Amino acid sequence: MAYDLILLEIEEGIATISVNRPKALNALNPQVMEEIGAALKEISRNPEVRVAILTGTGDKAFVAGADIGTMAKQTALESKRFSAAGQEVLFAMENAEIPIIAAVNGFALGGGTEIAMSCDFIYASENAKFGQPEINLGIIPGFGGTQRLARLVGKGWARELCLTGAMISAQEAKEIGLVNKVFPQDKLMEETRKTARLIASKGRAALRAIKHTINRGYDVDLRNGCAMEVDAFAIAFTSSDAQEGLTAFLEKRKPEFKGEI
Ligand code: CAA
């Protein structure tokens, strides 16, 4: 499929989705969201793809939020549809069969922080800035910010960020657990790809089982989460990669995972 507002590149089993509206600091309008949703479907159908990276084009912004021009024209009902449709795309990111890393290369504000949080983890460049500035527009986060932020960094930081609308640096975001690693800007993609290649070398069924068990288990109590893990553990055993990994260890050689689903 052809995309107008995102770029999709697939190389060495790694799909890179770049939001490509640099003049609007990669703000998310309905078309961008639709294209991200379509790209997710495309890569999930492609057996070559083992892992994905989400980033923004240019060196200034990852995503500076939902498109304010679009929202300014919306009625309450339209804003509800925009929020609900955006949330579906973020759920599709979170529930994608493959791991997705956010490579945050600049401003990640409002919908930018929100879409980064729907990825499996976040790497950031030193110049990145995070925040939920919706309060400054008289509105509130609409792509899951009040929910995922509290789950990721705790209620205290979620309240402070959403109530003040303040921006925090990549380093501060790392200190509160929003970001895993921070790199100089010119190293961000190289380092993200390095981690992506490492993940891509693993067994696909096990990757999927880990991703889903962490995500789904987080929302239930420990005993039920562990019960999910028991089932996922058994399912991972059905893959040929599990047999290969266990056998390779015993034969003292490197496993060759085929990535069968
Ligand atoms: N929507 C639409 N356009 C945006 C945008 C956004 N979220 N953010 C930036 N732009 C546009 C600007 O309007 C400007 O366009 P023009 O050149 O045509 O005037 C261009 O991008 C460059 O932006 P600035 O001139 O403002 O750049 P700056 O360096 O002075 O400031 C910034 C950068 C601090 C990120 C500033 O642009 C800004 O505050 N942007 C808005 C951030 C924001 O409030 N995001 C939350 C949106 S609401 C939301 O996301 C709701 C939700 O949860 C679903």
Side-chain angles (χ1 to χ4, degrees):
M1 158 168 181
Y3 301 100
D4 290 329
L5 300 181
I6 65 163
L7 305 175
L8 174 62
E9 289 163 42
I10 298 174
E11 210 182 354
E12 293 181 280
I14 302 168
T16 303
I17 301 173
S18 307
V19 180
N20 188 27
R21 295 184 73 203
K23 285 194 183 137
L25 302 190
N26 300 324
L28 303 172
N29 64 16
Q31 188 182 339
V32 177
M33 297 308 282
E34 272 171 36
E35 291 189 12
I36 293 173
L40 282 174
K41 283 194 185 131
E42 181 178 336
I43 61 182
S44 66
R45 281 193 299 262
N46 183 340
E48 299 298 310
V49 177
R50 303 286 192 95
V51 58
I53 297 171
L54 178 72
T55 192
T57 59
D59 54 10
K60 191 168 169 186
F62 168 71
V63 164
D67 191 293
I68 297 171
T70 301
M71 288 186 296
K73 296 191 209 99
Q74 285 173 338
T75 62
L77 198 54
E78 285 164 345
S79 78
K80 185 175 179 185
R81 287 197 200 109
F82 182 55
S83 168
Q87 293 206 4
E88 283 312 312
V89 174
L90 270 59
F91 278 124
M93 303 272 300
E94 208 164 58
N95 295 322
E97 302 251 306
I98 54 166
I100 306 177
I101 309 171
V104 173
N105 54 313
F107 288 110
L109 301 175
T113 287
E114 291 169 309
I115 200 166
M117 290 190 294
S118 73
C119 297
D120 289 273
F121 54 88
I122 304 175
Y123 282 179
S125 55
E126 284 166 348
N127 64 316
K129 295 253 188 283
F130 294 81
Q132 296 289 163
E134 290 87 349
I135 191 78
N136 300 329
L137 302 166
I139 61 172
I140 77 161
F143 289 172
T146 59
Q147 303 306 303
R148 286 195 182 86
L149 193 56
R151 283 166 172 74
L152 203 51
V153 302
K155 281 191 210 171
W157 275 109
R159 289 186 189 121
E160 183 169 339
L161 290 170
C162 293
L163 293 173
T164 64
M167 278 191 241
I168 56 170
S169 67
Q171 193 52 43
E172 287 169 310
K174 181 169 177 281
E175 281 158 22
I176 66 173
L178 177 56
V179 160
N180 280 15
K181 289 182 182 165
V182 179
F183 301 103
Q185 189 165 33
D186 61 348
K187 293 273 180 287
L188 174 67
M189 288 314 289
E190 185 185 321
E191 292 291 340
T192 307
R193 283 197 196 99
K194 205 188 279 176
T195 299
R197 276 196 294 275
L198 178 65
I199 293 173
S201 71
K202 314 290 183 192
R204 182 192 281 252
L207 290 174
R208 188 179 49 201
I210 288 168
K211 172 167 175 152
H212 287 175
T213 310
I214 290 177
N215 280 343
R216 295 196 184 130
Y218 200 80
D219 290 331
V220 301
D221 62 276
L222 180 63
R223 186 154 282 282
N224 280 304
C226 286
M228 286 179 191
E229 190 183 85
V230 167
D231 290 338
F233 187 68
I235 287 168
F237 264 74
T238 63
S239 71
S240 60
D241 284 337
Q243 299 313 312
E244 167 63 9
L246 297 167
T247 309
F249 179 86
L250 295 175
E251 292 175 355
K252 301 193 186 305
R253 60 175 174 84
K254 236 181 131 196
E256 280 180 41
F257 294 124
K258 299 247 177 332
E260 276 171 10
I261 305 168

